[in-house]
Amino acid sequence: MAKVRFTEEQIADFLQQSKNGVPNNVLCEKFGFSPSTLRRWQELHAQRIRGELKQTEKTASYVFLGFLISTLLLAFIFSKPVASWVIPFVLLYCLSYIRRYRALSAEHIKEGDTSLARSGLGADNVFYQLSWCLIILFLCSLGYLFAHLVLR
């Protein structure tokens, strides 16, 4: 088996430099590895990130399903106001999911393209969009209730 020339930390540093805009050919010449090696490292890193994002989506699907079932059960067994106790937990999970998704996607996307990936055609993560929709819906309903109570 061939001796490993670079540690995982060095490879992570090379990938970070590449992500931050250092040209690939400059990195290859400076540290003495081939462009194909850098592409292989980038692809392995991208596969790891995609795997983590898929795992995060899978977990989110279970959590959102659990929130939905618990809300329906509480509404059927007790009452609608009791079922509304789930709302703060859903909103906290939405915020944590958005934060986790942004952190994972930022590891893979070049810094200048991050906002485009989250708002453009690349932002096709259903749970990311659902989380934002639930937060906006909650804020709108709070605004409506506040306006209704104050203007009355």
Side-chain angles (χ1 to χ4, degrees), residues 52-150:
E52 288 181 31
L53 284 172
K54 284 183 183 179
Q55 184 61 38
T56 304
E57 288 178 41
K58 186 177 178 181
T59 304
S61 67
Y62 293 139
V63 171
F64 279 116
L65 182 63
F67 281 137
L68 179 66
I69 290 171
S70 62
T71 303
L72 291 174
L73 285 175
L74 286 172
F76 286 135
I77 295 172
F78 298 107
S79 65
K80 289 179 184 175
V82 172
S84 67
W85 292 350
V86 176
I87 291 174
F89 298 108
V90 171
L91 294 174
L92 284 174
Y93 183 75
C94 287
L95 290 172
S96 71
Y97 182 78
I98 289 169
R99 196 176 132 261
R100 191 175 29 221
Y101 177 79
R102 285 178 170 239
L104 281 173
S105 65
E107 287 183 31
H108 181 63
I109 302 168
K110 291 193 179 204
E111 201 161 320
D113 300 336
T114 329
S115 61
L116 292 174
R118 293 184 186 135
S119 60
L121 295 174
D124 58 356
N125 184 320
V126 173
F127 298 107
Y128 182 77
Q129 294 173 351
L130 177 65
S131 295
W132 274 114
C133 288
L134 289 175
I135 290 170
I136 291 170
L137 180 67
F138 178 73
L139 292 175
C140 289
S141 64
L142 277 181
Y144 174 78
L145 286 174
F146 181 73
H148 185 68
L149 292 174
V150 170

